[in-house]
């Protein structure tokens, strides 16, 4: 594997040259796609729960329903992509919604704190977290896209990215509206904490991903 560089927008800690090497190795490429697959499926589970808890109306309900369907499709897209590489997808984590937490205990603590908040504040915290996750994913996809050669793969990832843009747009619109109201300070704090939390998550996944990729590529399997 080529020498890597640390990039804040790259959750598996490889430069473009390194990414090109990864996508040419089926097992290494499948490892990256598996990360995407888990993240998208975590969105499916989380959004289904949110729709039931929040009971949004009007345009927000339609946007969240579209988001939910998109995440379900994306999970299947990455599953099918892994199969096309000749690799068996790994089982999903039992607590897939806690994928972005450092431990099951942290996930339970965060859920308990969230459930104690008034609905309007719970919505702000949730959207701030989704925004941070979706932004990390989109930045990762941009790097991945540059490393692809096959037209089918490029079109597949571009279709996912187009839908991710919509997710970012409506969520950021909701956060912007909330920031104009009585909870402006709370919104700013929620956004700062979400970004910091997911940078930590990103760093941990980067270390794990780099070690796994080097083992696969170094082993020549």
């Amino acid at each position: 594997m080529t020498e890597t560089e640390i990039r804040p927008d790259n959750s598996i800690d490889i430069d473009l040259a390194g990414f090109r090497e990864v996508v040419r190795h089926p097992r290494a490429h499948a490892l990256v796609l598996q990360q995407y697959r888990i993240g998208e499926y975590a969105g499916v589970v989380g959004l289904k729960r949110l729709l039931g808890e929040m009971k949004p109306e009007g345009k927000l309900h339609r946007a969240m329903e579209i988001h939910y369907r998109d995440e379900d499709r994306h999970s299947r897209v990455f599953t099918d992509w892994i199969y096309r590489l000749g690799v068996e997808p790994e089982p999903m984590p039992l607590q897939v919604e806690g994928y972005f937490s450092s431990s099951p205990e942290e996930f339970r603590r965060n859920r308990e704190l969230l459930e104690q908040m008034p609905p309007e504040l719970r919505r702000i915290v949730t959207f701030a977290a989704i925004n941070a996750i979706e932004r990390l994913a989109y930045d990762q996809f941009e790097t991945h896209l540059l490393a692809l050669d096959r037209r089918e793969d490029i079109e597949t990832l571009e279709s996912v990215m187009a839908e991710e843009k919509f997710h970012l747009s409506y969520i950021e619109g909701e956060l912007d509206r909330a920031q104009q109201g009585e909870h402006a300070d709370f919104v700013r704090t929620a956004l700062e904490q979400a970004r910091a939390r997911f940078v930590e998550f990103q760093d941990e996944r980067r270390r794990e991903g780099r070690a796994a990729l080097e083992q696969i590529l170094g082993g020549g399997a």
Side-chain angles (χ1 to χ4, degrees), residues 26-149:
R27 282 184 57 217
H29 198 182
L31 178 68
V32 175
L33 295 173
Q34 175 71 9
Q35 291 182 355
Y36 300 168
R37 176 175 175 255
I38 294 173
E40 299 291 339
Y41 187 68
V44 173
V45 176
L47 283 161
K48 183 177 181 179
R49 175 180 53 75
L50 278 176
L51 282 161
E53 287 180 359
M54 293 170 54
K55 296 181 170 42
E57 299 178 353
K59 290 182 179 179
L60 179 58
H61 182 269
R62 288 193 294 274
M64 291 181 69
E65 283 279 3
I66 291 169
H67 191 172
Y68 168 77
R69 291 195 298 269
D70 288 347
E71 298 293 62
D72 183 54
R73 188 184 78 83
H74 297 171
S75 178
R76 288 183 279 109
V77 163
F78 292 126
T79 300
D80 292 343
W81 198 340
I82 292 170
Y83 275 121
R84 287 202 307 274
L85 293 170
V87 178
E88 183 76 19
E90 296 178 11
M92 290 291 186
L94 293 177
Q95 290 291 337
V96 70
E97 207 178 348
Y99 176 68
F100 296 100
S101 299
S102 62
S103 68
E105 292 74 23
E106 181 193 64
F107 174 66
R108 282 194 293 270
R109 285 197 306 271
N110 290 337
R111 285 292 304 149
E112 288 172 0
L113 288 172
L114 204 61
E115 288 166 359
Q116 293 168 10
M117 292 181 180
E120 64 272 20
L121 298 187
R122 187 162 65 242
R123 177 180 296 190
I124 290 168
V125 170
T126 300
F127 280 171
I130 293 174
N131 181 254
I133 295 167
E134 295 273 340
R135 179 57 63 187
L136 284 177
Y138 192 85
D139 290 344
Q140 178 72 53
F141 294 158
E142 284 188 318
T143 303
H144 196 153
L145 186 64
L146 294 173
L148 296 172
D149 293 321

Side-chain angles (χ1 to χ4, degrees), residues 95-215:
Q95 290 291 337
V96 70
E97 207 178 348
Y99 176 68
F100 296 100
S101 299
S102 62
S103 68
E105 292 74 23
E106 181 193 64
F107 174 66
R108 282 194 293 270
R109 285 197 306 271
N110 290 337
R111 285 292 304 149
E112 288 172 0
L113 288 172
L114 204 61
E115 288 166 359
Q116 293 168 10
M117 292 181 180
E120 64 272 20
L121 298 187
R122 187 162 65 242
R123 177 180 296 190
I124 290 168
V125 170
T126 300
F127 280 171
I130 293 174
N131 181 254
I133 295 167
E134 295 273 340
R135 179 57 63 187
L136 284 177
Y138 192 85
D139 290 344
Q140 178 72 53
F141 294 158
E142 284 188 318
T143 303
H144 196 153
L145 186 64
L146 294 173
L148 296 172
D149 293 321
R150 294 181 70 247
R151 173 49 54 184
E152 179 185 0
D153 294 342
I154 292 170
E155 291 176 350
T156 295
L157 191 52
E158 284 179 338
S159 72
V160 171
M161 293 173 69
E163 291 168 347
E164 297 290 0
K165 276 186 180 180
F166 166 71
H167 306 162
L168 287 167
S169 175
Y170 90 81
I171 289 172
E172 288 172 358
E174 287 297 312
L175 290 169
D176 286 344
R177 278 189 284 277
Q179 205 157 11
Q180 306 308 312
E182 60 180 310
H183 301 304
D185 290 340
F186 186 85
V187 176
R188 283 191 289 272
T189 299
L191 284 167
E192 290 170 1
Q193 290 180 346
R195 288 164 184 159
R197 174 185 169 197
F198 290 110
V199 163
E200 292 178 4
F201 161 82
Q202 184 184 46
D203 288 343
E204 179 62 27
R205 290 293 183 269
R206 177 186 293 131
R207 288 190 291 270
E208 293 174 358
R210 180 174 181 175
L213 288 172
E214 288 182 345
Q215 182 176 19

